[in-house]
Amino acid sequence: MLQEAALTETKTETHPVTGADLLLRALEKETVEVIFGYPGGAVLPIYDKLYHSKILHVLPRHEQGGIHAAEGYARISGKPGVVIATSGPGATNIVTGLADAMMDSLPLIVFTGQVATGVIGSDAFQEADILGITTPITKYNYQVRSIEDIPRIVKEAFYIASTGRPGPVLIDIPKDIAAGVSVQPEAEKEVNLPGYQPTLKPNYLQVRKLTEAVSRSKKPVILAGAGVLHGRASKELKEYAEQQQIPVIHTLLGLGGFPANHPLFIGMAGMHGCYAANMGLTECDLLINIGARFDDRLTGNLQHFAPHAAVAHIDIDPAEIGKNVPTSIPIVADAKEALDQLILQDGKPPAHKEWMETIMRWQEEYPYFYDKESAGLKPQKVMEMLHSKTDGNAIVVTDVGQHQMWAAQYYRFNNADKWVTSGGLGTMGFGFPASIGAQLADPEACVLAICGDGGFQMSTQELAIIQEMNLPVKIIIFNNMALGMVRQWQEIFYESRFSHSKIPVQPSFVKLAEAYGIKGYVIQSEAEAEELLDEVLHNREPVLIDFRVDPDENVYPMIAPGKGLHEMVGVKP
Amino acid sequence: MKRVICLTVMNRPGVLNRITNLFSKRNFNIESISVGLSEHEGMSRITCVVHVEDSSASEQITKQLNKQIDVIKVTDITDQSIVARELALIKVQAVPYTRNEIYSLIEPFRASVIDVSKDSMTVQITGESDKVEAFIELIKPYGIKELARTGTTAFPRGTQRTSQQSKSYSIV
Ligand SMILES: Cc1ncc(C[n+]2csc(CCOP(=O)(O)OP(=O)(O)O)c2C)c(N)n1
């Protein structure tokens, strides 16, 4: 009886249904688990409804931290990260995150408050033309003009953000729309977007063509990008590479798509990639790009890029094919679908014994190196220790700079979806908040937030989230008392004129951590590192470790801007 | 080279902004853009005339436009047999003794005079932009006070020629 009464009570709605109600229902329908949001005037009607919502709400201490956290969440969970910001300054504070997510194809749903419909365009208090501002850095954006549109728009937005080539979608909601009462009954509408029909299945003829090209090839390589990860296709990539015995090179963002400990893995290519990978791209006769976009930090000078290769390019975004590199075998498809088809072909593997030997020789002769005898604490050594002490199974989230490149080089990823970094935009301040999102997406995982002393100071305020939620993120600062990557460029290209790149005056990061109730340590030597890492990496508590690494260390090998991949410097000690 | 690109787009708020934004973001050189309703309700038709370096650049433009959610269809119709028209309004200085001369220029171009005042007249001309261009050059010496061009709007002809011979006939 009691149950029945409760049922009828929820059925008959006594309260009028507002725009904010419709919004939260739509989010529940999309099974949203967490929202990264920051309140303010224009979103108060939404926040009032969130008061009773079951969805977890995380309050960053700056909207930019919130959107970066949502990016980390999206990268690890594969689900869109959801963000709410108020109008005006709240909305403009998320611009960097949108640009970052757009560049790295991360699905986000971002709600911004807007001034009431009647005053839009009048420079009202906290009004910003966020549609105009974000048009070039969103996959799509909406302004809600009528309350009844909310369910459809939210549904479309999730569809757009998470299908095809993923990306951020922004929904701008005027305050009166969120607060207003819906008069029509909620109608379920199918997504109808005639202009948006991503191609998933590969063209059969092109698949045949590639299969034949592989059989004929003497020097094939696969270049695997983040498309393999977004397409959840790492299993298929491994199967295909093994079937055809094709060696695999990764882009920065693709790391983990193919196991680093696999005999067919060559390494990461690009500006700070390994010798064998960059030479592999230069010397190959068949280059199979799967889900990479031939970014300039990968290709170096295009004139010297893969000069002898026939290029095949598998990408879900047709506009990427042929954008930077002429392509003879274009395959517009989802990575998984394309690889499935290629595996089915079961073509004759190439006869490429010599090529494999050449690659092996490059790998043996030109591995990554650093001075292992040096007295100081070498950042590369720390990275190797982090790898071994986590069995290569941690989720590694980085900021931008030297430490990011060392993580890419020395934390050898054997599994997919363990790597979060800002590649396309190179956003300092990204790493630490992104690690928070990554931890929320995988609460059991050991998450390493690897930051430089510079970039960490762009988002220290998010220590508050760690404190509040007691998230066991391990904050690892590679402290070289400098904006290291800038210092390196000034050393190499500007005759060591270190203009504003050294930061000898620093806060005590340990005390900063302690201010938020987080344990902090300074580590100066390998021996100290050994001991501490054993202790802190395996417990469920947050920690901040300030590693005082060698301030003069540079990232090598390196390709100077404008040079070709074969013109690496610093390939040998 | 010059390319004529036709788009069919959903008539949604911000769609024109997205498209023009794309041109500036991708550094595409745009000569003209004309927009209006199409035969389908809720859809508009846009004709862009762009200058590109080579065919891969025009392919990039087409692909980037196609990627827009609100864009239903994109065709580079440059190499097809097309009808392309532009309209220009030209207010030209006209004192009594030049008026007849101007009229004599207007006639072979099948332009028309749509407004006359004491010291000026306004001419309307339609045609392919080469023709409009040629007419403007002819009329320039009389003193153009105001000029407004719509930009080209175009679509493929009902029947396509099989050979791609270039035009050898007069533009008039
Ligand atoms: C928001 C932002 N501003 C500036 C830069 C340019 N930049 C790239 S790397 C770098 C230095 C980073 O220094 P730090 O965080 O200490 O890391 P390190 O390179 O020392 O490991 C700078 C300033 C950037 N990428 N992002």
Side-chain angles (χ1 to χ4, degrees):
Chain A
M1 276 307 268
L2 255 175
Q3 255 179 349
E4 227 178 350
L7 266 179
T8 41
E9 198 174 270
T10 46
K11 258 187 198 162
T12 47
E13 250 164 328
T14 41
H15 297 294
V17 178
T18 66
D21 283 318
L22 291 179
L23 177 69
L24 286 197
R25 280 184 202 170
L27 292 181
E28 277 161 21
K29 227 177 239 172
E30 299 293 337
T31 65
V32 171
E33 291 162 341
V34 51
I35 295 173
F36 301 89
Y38 207 96
V43 287
L44 281 179
I46 301 172
Y47 269 81
D48 192 46
K49 299 298 173 180
L50 276 171
Y51 191 68
H52 292 296
S53 171
K54 293 189 296 286
I55 303 175
L56 174 68
H57 180 277
V58 177
L59 182 80
R61 296 315 193 253
H62 188 296
E63 287 90 347
Q64 186 178 343
I67 190 165
H68 289 328
E71 291 182 81
Y73 175 86
R75 183 67 277 278
I76 294 303
S77 70
K79 293 172 63 175
V82 179
V83 178
I84 301 178
T86 192
S87 68
T92 53
N93 271 351
I94 50 129
V95 166
T96 303
L98 285 172
D100 191 89
M102 185 70 175
M103 277 285 213
D104 288 352
S105 309
L106 293 172
L108 295 182
I109 306 292
V110 176
F111 296 96
T112 49
Q114 184 53 278
V115 299
T117 329
V119 293
I120 291 180
S122 69
D123 301 319
F125 178 64
Q126 294 193 331
E127 178 179 3
D129 171 18
I130 203 64
L131 288 195
I133 292 170
T134 62
T135 292
I137 50 170
T138 48
K139 187 169 174 186
Y140 200 59
N141 58 13
Y142 294 88
Q143 186 170 71
V144 184
R145 305 264 165 111
S146 121
I147 299 171
E148 280 71 32
D149 281 342
I150 291 175
R152 173 186 60 82
I153 287 178
V154 173
K155 196 169 175 182
E156 278 181 13
F158 273 84
Y159 180 71
I160 292 171
S162 57
T163 55
R165 178 179 180 174
V169 177
L170 180 138
I171 303 174
D172 195 33
I173 309 181
K175 188 172 185 179
D176 56 320
I177 297 279
V181 172
S182 169
V183 284
Q184 286 165 25
E186 202 179 333
E188 186 65 25
K189 277 195 197 135
E190 280 308 302
V191 171
N192 177 25
L193 297 162
Y196 178 69
Q197 321 262 333
T199 307
L200 301 179
K201 300 241 182 277
N203 176 302
Y204 178 75
L205 292 177
Q206 299 295 344
V207 169
R208 280 296 319 155
K209 210 166 142 191
L210 176 53
T211 305
E212 279 155 26
V214 169
S215 303
R216 279 196 312 272
S217 162
K218 298 257 176 311
K219 301 172 175 181
V221 289
I222 290 173
L223 172 68
V228 169
L229 300 170
H230 296 307
R232 311 266 142 183
S234 34
K235 190 176 124 276
E236 289 75 8
L237 173 63
K238 183 157 166 275
E239 193 178 335
Y240 178 63
E242 284 174 353
Q243 184 197 66
Q244 297 295 311
Q245 286 298 305
I246 309 174
V248 178
I249 292 169
H250 262 317
T251 63
L252 172 71
L253 283 176
L255 291 173
F258 194 78
N261 58 5
H262 195 287
L264 285 169
F265 186 61
I266 309 183
M268 177 179 78
M271 182 171 270
H272 293 294
C274 68
Y275 184 87
N278 284 337
M279 288 311 289
L281 288 174
T282 308
E283 298 285 319
C284 67
D285 67 0
L286 176 65
L287 168 51
I288 307 167
N289 174 345
I290 310 177
R293 60 183 178 85
F294 287 131
D295 165 71
D296 57 284
R297 288 266 158 136
L298 175 97
T299 62
N301 187 328
L302 281 172
Q303 268 176 344
H304 304 296
F305 181 72
H308 316 295
V311 175
H313 190 168
I314 301 170
D315 206 304
I316 200 158
D317 178 358
E320 287 304 342
I321 300 179
K323 185 179 84 178
N324 296 334
V325 173
T327 301
S328 53
I329 310 176
I331 302 183
V332 180
D334 168 67
K336 194 186 210 133
E337 302 260 5
L339 283 162
D340 274 339
Q341 289 308 309
L342 286 165
I343 294 165
L344 266 183
Q345 293 290 313
D346 199 12
K348 182 168 79 67
H352 61 348
K353 195 162 153 283
E354 270 176 52
W355 176 236
M356 297 307 284
E357 283 164 7
T358 311
I359 291 171
M360 200 103 76
R361 208 184 57 241
W362 285 333
Q363 283 179 306
E364 273 161 23
E365 240 175 85
Y366 302 96
Y368 293 129
F369 65 88
Y370 63 92
D371 180 6
K372 297 197 166 107
E373 309 306 316
S374 138
L377 186 57
K378 288 288 177 184
Q380 298 95 327
K381 176 69 195 172
V382 177
M383 212 60 85
E384 285 181 335
M385 289 167 86
L386 289 171
H387 178 273
S388 64
K389 299 220 178 283
T390 55
D391 297 322
N393 279 325
I395 291 177
V396 178
V397 187
T398 76
D399 209 70
V400 170
Q402 291 183 311
H403 64 279
Q404 176 188 32
M405 293 301 126
W406 286 317
Q409 293 179 337
Y410 289 91
Y411 196 98
R412 298 178 59 83
F413 295 90
N414 295 326
N415 296 300
D417 306 325
K418 299 278 185 188
W419 170 237
V420 185
T421 198
S422 165
L425 200 68
T427 308
M428 278 174 76
F430 167 89
F432 174 45
S435 75
I436 292 170
Q439 185 78 75
L440 287 166
D442 190 350
E444 299 307 316
C446 170
V447 174
L448 308 179
I450 297 182
C451 302
D453 46 309
F456 181 63
Q457 292 187 68
M458 286 203 182
S459 354
T460 45
Q461 74 283 352
E462 306 313 343
L463 285 165
I465 308 183
I466 302 275
Q467 176 183 31
E468 200 176 295
M469 304 184 76
N470 195 31
L471 294 175
V473 172
K474 316 297 178 192
I475 304 161
I476 314 279
I477 299 177
F478 278 69
N479 189 346
N480 50 12
M481 306 270 180
L483 306 175
M485 191 57 97
V486 171
R487 191 205 53 73
Q488 172 169 349
W489 281 52
Q490 289 172 337
E491 179 185 323
I492 300 174
F493 303 117
Y494 296 90
E495 296 167 325
S496 293
R497 286 186 297 278
F498 298 121
S499 180
H500 308 285
S501 60
K502 298 219 170 178
I503 36 176
V505 179
Q506 278 180 333
S508 156
F509 290 116
V510 168
K511 281 192 185 154
L512 185 64
E514 282 166 2
Y516 289 91
I518 300 164
K519 279 198 191 119
Y521 302 90
V522 174
I523 294 292
Q524 321 244 21
S525 73
E526 263 180 65
E528 285 173 6
E530 275 288 338
E531 202 180 319
L532 182 72
L533 289 178
D534 277 332
E535 183 192 323
V536 299
L537 286 181
H538 301 289
N539 65 25
R540 303 291 300 157
E541 278 168 31
V543 67
L544 180 150
I545 313 174
D546 175 358
F547 282 100
R548 300 295 169 88
V549 296
D550 183 345
D552 299 320
E553 192 62 29
N554 287 339
V555 184
Y556 287 117
M558 176 175 191
I559 296 157
K563 299 283 188 189
L565 288 190
H566 61 295
E567 296 171 285
M568 281 163 280
V569 297
V571 297
K572 279 226 169 199
Chain B
M1 59 206 222
K2 194 161 154 172
R3 308 298 297 182
V4 183
I5 297 171
C6 272
L7 296 103
T8 310
V9 304
M10 297 296 285
N11 214 341
R12 288 202 181 170
V15 57
L16 191 58
N17 181 31
R18 266 201 177 262
I19 285 163
T20 50
N21 215 301
L22 186 109
F23 282 104
S24 65
K25 168 179 169 179
R26 301 269 169 197
N27 214 355
F28 297 146
N29 206 340
I30 186 163
E31 181 183 292
S32 74
I33 183 163
S34 87
V35 193
L37 297 176
S38 75
E39 72 277 18
H40 297 294
E41 201 183 326
M43 290 188 197
S44 291
R45 183 143 184 127
I46 300 180
T47 310
C48 307
V49 178
V50 294
H51 282 280
V52 294
E53 297 243 314
D54 49 34
S55 59
S56 79
S58 75
E59 187 183 317
Q60 234 331 269
I61 296 188
T62 318
K63 283 175 164 179
Q64 292 295 350
L65 287 167
N66 232 326
K67 204 161 111 174
Q68 300 303 313
I69 311 278
D70 288 331
V71 173
I72 309 288
K73 196 172 159 204
V74 185
T75 15
D76 181 336
I77 59 170
T78 323
D79 297 331
Q80 299 182 28
S81 173
I82 59 174
V83 274
R85 290 292 179 272
E86 174 174 9
L87 183 143
L89 297 178
I90 309 158
K91 189 185 280 171
V92 60
Q93 275 177 22
V95 284
Y97 72 90
T98 56
R99 228 163 242 181
N100 273 344
E101 250 177 82
I102 293 172
Y103 268 109
S104 70
L105 291 175
I106 286 171
E107 209 188 332
F109 279 85
R110 283 183 293 274
S112 49
V113 175
I114 54 172
D115 184 39
V116 182
S117 73
K118 197 155 75 334
D119 54 359
S120 76
M121 53 205 270
T122 299
V123 183
Q124 167 194 310
I125 175 165
T126 48
E128 293 198 21
S129 39
D130 292 357
K131 172 182 160 184
V132 174
E133 203 78 49
F135 181 71
I136 292 169
E137 281 309 308
L138 273 178
I139 211 98
K140 222 179 222 161
Y142 299 95
I144 292 177
K145 298 175 81 159
E146 269 185 88
L147 172 66
R149 298 174 65 166
T150 59
T152 296
T153 187
F155 51 52
R157 285 179 186 277
T159 333
Q160 290 291 307
R161 262 178 287 146
T162 38
S163 72
Q164 297 291 335
Q165 85 247 40
S166 54
K167 282 179 288 184
S168 52
Y169 47 87
S170 147
I171 52 168
V172 174

